[in-house]
Amino acid sequence: MSEPNNLPRHVSFIMDGNGRWACKRGLDRIDGHREGAESVRECMKFAVEKGIRYISFFAFSEENWERPAEEVEGLMHLMFQAIKKETPTMLEYGIRFRVIGDMNRLGDSLRKEIDECCKVTDKENCGTDMIIFLSYSGKWDIIQAFNMFMADSFRKGISGNPPVLDAGILSGYLSTSGIPDPDLLIRTSGEQRISNFMLWQTAYTEYYFTETLWPDFRKNDFARALEVYAKRDRRFGKLK
Ligand code: IPE
Ligand code: IPE
Ligand code: MG
């Protein structure tokens, strides 16, 4: 395999197919999620080794709250355990951990664990930012950004003209503010849709779809996606 030199700055994953992976093996869906956590761990380490600056994972969508309570509880518990277990690895690998989404919907113990991991991994010169999107949706993000903009505008006092939003201002209010837009978005399990992920931020992102189910997606698959990305011609609407 040739070494891709055209490295994306931000790689994002829609981790899909955990349930199908488990089903194929006669296991419970939660077993698929548990194995999927191993894929996260492997991809996280690989990203650091490659020198990828930002890596993000869509772990739980706003819509996923509608799944059966047993699965939701299982996923939240798994998240709690994974953060606790992987904090030392993140410190060892110089990773800064961040979580983006509607934190109000999370339980107290998970929120506390997230805060703790964010606090201990928050260093000035981290090598890689690892971002988990939890209880997140792209529409939620745009709406909360708009509402914060409006609240700030009213706080400043509106005199005459209505407040005017532009792309730069809106980006600054999004929950991803300060994080570059994804260069590469990888979705596993054969589905070819965005499922209400980063709607605004993926305007010029390169998509990579693979049939591989998330629990089977490991560093060789990641390396393959990086190779494909390195050959893409990104024009951003301009002529070269
Ligand atoms: C992805 O796997 C994990 C989450 C969305 C939480 P799924 O649970 O969606 O797995 P499939 O799509 O049913 O196989
Ligand atoms: C997308 O997967 C959300 C996450 C990976 C967290 P889903 O399995 O929820 O998406 P759909 O239902 O196939 O669109
Ligand atoms: Mg799915």
Side-chain angles (χ1 to χ4, degrees), residues 14-16 20 58-61 64 67 187 191 193 195:
I14 299 181
M15 314 184 273
D16 202 8
R20 278 164 281 170
F58 196 12
F60 192 87
S61 71
N64 290 151
R67 292 191 180 189
R187 183 170 187 152
E191 311 298 356
R193 54 178 170 257
S195 297

Side-chain angles (χ1 to χ4, degrees), residues 164-220:
V164 177
L165 200 50
D166 66 25
I169 295 172
L170 185 71
S171 293
Y173 280 101
L174 289 173
S175 60
T176 50
S177 171
I179 299 168
D181 289 344
D183 299 294
L184 172 63
L185 176 67
I186 298 172
R187 183 170 187 152
T188 56
S189 88
E191 311 298 356
Q192 302 191 4
R193 54 178 170 257
I194 191 86
S195 297
N196 205 0
F197 192 31
M198 287 189 263
L199 299 177
W200 175 274
Q201 299 89 333
T202 51
Y204 266 104
T205 299
E206 295 294 322
Y207 287 79
Y208 179 86
F209 297 111
T210 171
E211 294 290 325
T212 305
L213 302 175
W214 178 251
D216 289 328
F217 190 94
R218 297 296 162 99
K219 66 179 181 193
N220 285 346

Side-chain angles (χ1 to χ4, degrees), residues 114-166:
I114 289 170
D115 288 346
E116 185 58 26
C117 183
C118 292
K119 205 172 84 198
V120 297
T121 61
D122 187 16
K123 282 196 236 80
E124 287 269 312
N125 297 310
C126 80
T128 298
D129 275 73
M130 148 121 172
I131 305 136
I132 301 287
F133 286 86
L134 190 58
S135 186
Y136 177 86
S137 86
K139 288 187 181 178
W140 166 84
D141 201 359
I142 294 166
I143 288 166
Q144 70 77 31
F146 180 77
N147 284 336
M148 279 210 290
F149 165 73
M150 290 302 280
D152 276 354
S153 303
F154 277 98
R155 214 171 292 128
K156 283 176 201 151
I158 294 168
S159 52
N161 296 330
V164 177
L165 200 50
D166 66 25

Side-chain angles (χ1 to χ4, degrees), residues 9-28:
R9 202 161 156 228
H10 180 178
V11 181
S12 195
F13 293 93
I14 299 181
M15 314 184 273
D16 202 8
N18 295 352
R20 278 164 281 170
W21 184 93
C23 219
K24 267 170 55 180
R25 287 163 177 77
L27 301 169
D28 290 337

